[in-house]
Amino acid sequence: MSSLDAFNEILQRDEPLAPYTWLRLGGPAQYLVTPRSVEELKQFVTVCHEEQIPIHILGGGSNLLVKDEGVSGAVIRLTSPVFAEVHIEGNKVRAGSGALLSRVISETVRAGLSGFENLAGIPGTIGGALCGNSGGRQGEISQLVTRVTGLTSLGEVVVRSQDELSFDYRQSNLNELLILEGEFELRSDDPEAISQKLKMNWIAKKAVQPLSSQSAGCIFKNPRGQRAGMLIEQAGLKGTRIGGAEISERHANFIVTYPGAKSSDVLRLIDLVRSKISEQFGVHLEPEIKIW
């Protein structure tokens, strides 16, 4: 009997991952696990460590490409309400890693707290946003966070205060942790003024990004001092299509997919773009999207 059998109530074997991602692509997870409590999560992580089972954390599925052959090991989804709680006290906010970023934005704006409205239009969860330091021209989540609680690979709860947190462009030192909760400090402001700013940020984003298409957000990180989308556009790659995947005509740093698309189509398109940009501009593009 496998030690994983104790988790049969929350574990699915060979579960297709495509429905859980924004691109709707990719093969199955060897194990897909949806813990119902922190204690159950700790127990599962401990067993995975003992059995040397790799762990992957699936947030909102917005910044992710799952390969056609699927993922070995355990994919954990923190969708139980206990992982998505949001608490606001004064100008301090605590949000579970499974809380949608859009929900935290809405609740803080309604409470007259400014900061999160700068992240308008960014999909995904708090956990994913912290791990990848989500943000844009208006700011990044690292400017708001004061503390992060997470689990180690041994199932131990650890708390990292602000001076222990390190963030850079689309990355952090949180990747080895399974994030449970983030704490943030915001500024009090007029709710109407914050709502107006939120609206303007949304309008600006909708004007240039293919938000109505099936995509996974920006595919490449911006090289220092340059914009990946502009380089791809200058290379004449807008509208380039391989199989069911296409470089968006609206924003060249987005890849949109159509019925019949495969993950391999997206991967081939990514390789083509990187090759062309390196050849024409001598610039090495790094993927922003996570590839499993």
Side-chain angles (χ1 to χ4, degrees):
M1 174 174 157
S2 166
S3 54
L4 292 181
D5 289 342
F7 301 96
N8 279 342
E9 289 185 14
I10 60 169
L11 185 147
Q12 296 165 280
R13 289 171 168 80
D14 299 317
E15 174 70 10
L17 288 175
Y20 302 104
T21 73
W22 279 42
L23 280 171
R24 298 289 185 265
L25 301 176
Q30 185 178 3
Y31 309 109
L32 180 66
V33 184
T34 312
R36 296 165 294 192
S37 67
V38 173
E39 188 56 39
E40 198 167 51
L41 173 62
K42 288 166 64 177
Q43 291 170 3
F44 183 78
V45 168
T46 301
V47 167
C48 285
H49 178 76
E50 292 169 352
E51 299 284 326
Q52 296 186 310
I53 298 170
I55 286 176
H56 310 267
I57 311 303
L58 177 61
S62 56
N63 190 36
L64 175 67
L65 174 65
V66 177
K67 292 181 179 179
D68 294 320
E69 55 267 34
V71 181
S72 62
V75 174
I76 298 175
R77 296 184 75 223
L78 301 182
T79 53
S80 173
V82 71
F83 299 109
E85 295 178 355
V86 179
H87 302 280
I88 299 176
E89 295 178 23
N91 66 337
K92 299 187 188 305
V93 179
R94 288 190 298 113
S97 63
L100 291 176
L101 187 54
S102 57
R103 177 188 161 201
V104 177
I105 293 170
S106 298
E107 293 204 19
T108 54
V109 168
R110 194 159 47 242
L113 295 177
S114 177
F116 270 104
E117 75 280 3
N118 292 327
L119 306 181
I122 297 175
T125 60
I126 285 291
L130 284 169
C131 236
N133 191 20
S134 291
R137 296 183 186 183
Q138 304 297 323
E140 297 172 328
I141 198 168
S142 57
Q143 296 168 284
L144 309 173
V145 64
T146 56
R147 195 159 72 159
V148 173
T149 302
L151 280 186
T152 68
S153 60
L154 299 174
E156 299 167 338
V157 176
V158 296
V159 178
R160 288 200 179 161
S161 55
Q162 201 163 24
D163 59 356
E164 297 173 292
L165 300 173
S166 174
F167 294 93
D168 205 341
Y169 174 62
R170 300 299 169 266
Q171 62 185 36
S172 72
N173 65 343
L174 295 167
N175 290 322
E176 78 278 14
L177 281 186
L178 196 167
I179 297 173
L180 295 175
E181 181 183 79
E183 297 184 31
F184 309 90
E185 190 167 325
L186 309 184
R187 292 180 294 103
S188 295
D189 204 344
D190 174 44
E192 186 57 40
I194 307 172
S195 294
Q196 191 60 29
K197 188 176 179 185
L198 174 64
K199 183 179 178 182
M200 296 307 294
N201 288 342
W202 250 113
I203 291 172
K205 188 148 287 196
K206 287 172 72 175
V208 297
Q209 296 185 2
L211 299 180
S212 60
S213 300
Q214 198 163 280
S215 77
C218 289
I219 298 295
F220 299 103
K221 297 178 181 179
N222 289 322
R224 189 178 297 276
Q226 297 175 292
R227 302 199 71 78
M230 189 62 70
L231 290 172
I232 298 167
E233 185 171 348
Q234 289 172 354
L237 293 172
K238 262 189 174 182
T240 301
R241 183 165 176 167
I242 293 179
E246 179 184 85
I247 297 173
S248 171
E249 291 278 9
R250 187 157 195 166
H251 192 307
N253 199 14
F254 281 67
I255 289 177
V256 297
T257 56
Y258 299 96
K262 296 182 178 180
S263 296
S264 55
D265 298 336
V266 178
L267 289 170
R268 287 169 59 203
L269 203 48
I270 287 173
D271 287 342
L272 173 67
V273 170
R274 297 180 77 185
S275 173
K276 292 287 187 184
I277 298 305
S278 177
E279 182 184 302
Q280 291 192 36
F281 304 109
V283 175
H284 175 70
L285 287 182
E286 287 185 56
E288 182 171 325
I289 190 174
K290 298 284 185 284
I291 300 171
W292 287 358

